[in-house]
Amino acid sequence: MPGGPVAAGGGIGASGGKNKLAGIAMTAFAAFGGILFGYDTGTISGIIQMDDWLRTFGTPTNDPDYLPLGYYLPSNKESLVVSILSAGTFFGALLGAPAADILGRRVGIILACLVFSLGVALQTGSLNMATFVVGRVFAGIGVGLVSTLVPMYQSECSPKWIRGAVVSGYQWAITIGLLLASVVNNATKDRQDHSAWRVPIAIQFVWAFILSAGMFYLPESPRWLVKKGRDEQAARSLSRLTSLPKDDPEVQSEIHDIRAALEEEQKHGESSYLDCFKRSHNKILLRTMSGILIQGWQQLTGINFIFYYGVTFFKNAGISNPFLIQVATNIVNVFMTLPGMWGIEKFGRRSLLLWGAALMCTCEFLVAIIGVTVSTENQAGQKALIALVCIYIAGFASTWGPIAWVITGEIFPLNVRAKAMSLSVASNWLWNWAIGYATPYLVNPGKGNANLGVKVFFIWGATCAGCFVFTYFFIPETKGLSLEQIDVLYQNSTPISSVRYRRELVAQDAQMGDVKIADTRHDQLNGSEKA
């Protein structure tokens, strides 16, 4: 689905109690950016099936299959309208790195909302395909920026003991956006004027306003502030996130750890995109490729086939009310993300990715087999197909949906984090675009199309098997580790041996946490005596 990040030293507030609700609430609010992402992604599936939108942007035809409306959307236009958003998000994701490094994470998110709003305005006011498509491009650039900056902001500002769940909240917000889109589409689909599609599009102004207004009041990432040499502001930011005074030993210890990690990385000079692909003791090449590939594999699970073309697919499968089925699948997506948010810190990243890939692979092969062996008039068969699609969505929502974003956010060192994250997210959107563009040609009937229909699920089943193999060999277990500890994990273990080595790091951290705070208090006491 078109769902980042890091914490330093012991993680924000790591050595204090697990009750820093203010910081958790602030970083969780940033997840609202996922609603922009999810809603914009989900709304197009229903809009391209609405009568007035087809009369405005479609192609006239006398084909009896399209009567009495007399308009349809050819595969080339359908591919363009659906996939062009992902083309914009690809470039937006790449722009996320300079925006994050130059403007900061917080200001970058506000800028993204402005760009997104421009795209929404163009789509809402359009009466020709060219304007509508340009609007989708600008909206895509805004969504691409958000999809890089929000997980980065959350990972750098949330406590390590709940970082996975907080960043997963971004994926949960995406699912809520998808659900809201399907509900609004279902409410306006029968209108026979422009409000049928303009209302669902214009509602996106509300999401952009809420996110940008809220970000004005949130603190900047303390890691970015330290990187810019603004340690005093970093301490104030960290103070707000931990609900501790800025001169508290825990806050000062955290600032010290961030600065020490940054200085170590800066010994090698200013990083570039090429640095993301260099072999080093820190395994940066492996980490960069893991981030790029996990985002690609997430798209290759086939999930966006359901959310981009679900209405069309269910309609062609003989289901009488495809809009309601789309609402139902989105409800499953929203509520099954919640156990994933809980399980990511309970069972870990690696194991959930493996189990999720196995479950999705099984369901997709069963959907394909039932689809090619059972008639569209067979009600029991159609109900089984819907049930398996819902189980498949539940498997994605509780595993690959949120966890791919968590992995992407936490595996990169600070000196290349923004650039490596932008490459990873750009990979997500590149595959998103490719799948969105190719799908109509793969599944639709007619000249020049493969007419696979439900057989396309054989492809998705095979790619989910690839997800399992990729996870086993490339993704380490990082549950409960600070971003600096993840550096150590990569330096001293492999993905296969990471589960055992992670336990050793957690045990060492528990022993060293009290010593570090005591040392910091001792240094402050000596400093005050000398003064």
Side-chain angles (χ1 to χ4, degrees), residues 439-469:
T439 294
Y441 294 104
L442 289 173
V443 302
N444 287 351
K447 185 178 180 181
N449 299 326
N451 194 22
L452 291 178
V454 73
K455 291 191 287 291
V456 75
F457 278 89
F458 282 116
I459 296 176
W460 306 140
T463 54
C464 282
C467 291
F468 185 95
V469 174

Side-chain angles (χ1 to χ4, degrees), residues 120-144:
V120 172
L122 287 170
Q123 291 176 77
T124 304
S126 64
L127 288 173
N128 60 74
M129 182 63 81
T131 306
F132 192 86
V133 166
V134 171
R136 297 260 310 155
V137 171
F138 275 101
I141 292 172
V143 170

Side-chain angles (χ1 to χ4, degrees), residues 1-2 41-46 175 178 302-311 326 329-330 333 393 396:
M1 184 177 308
T41 300
T43 193
I44 197 65
S45 173
T175 68
L178 287 163
I303 192 67
N304 279 332
F305 173 77
I306 299 297
F307 294 118
Y308 283 163
Y309 299 104
V311 173
Q326 188 78 341
T329 57
N330 277 294
N333 195 27
I393 292 171
F396 176 87

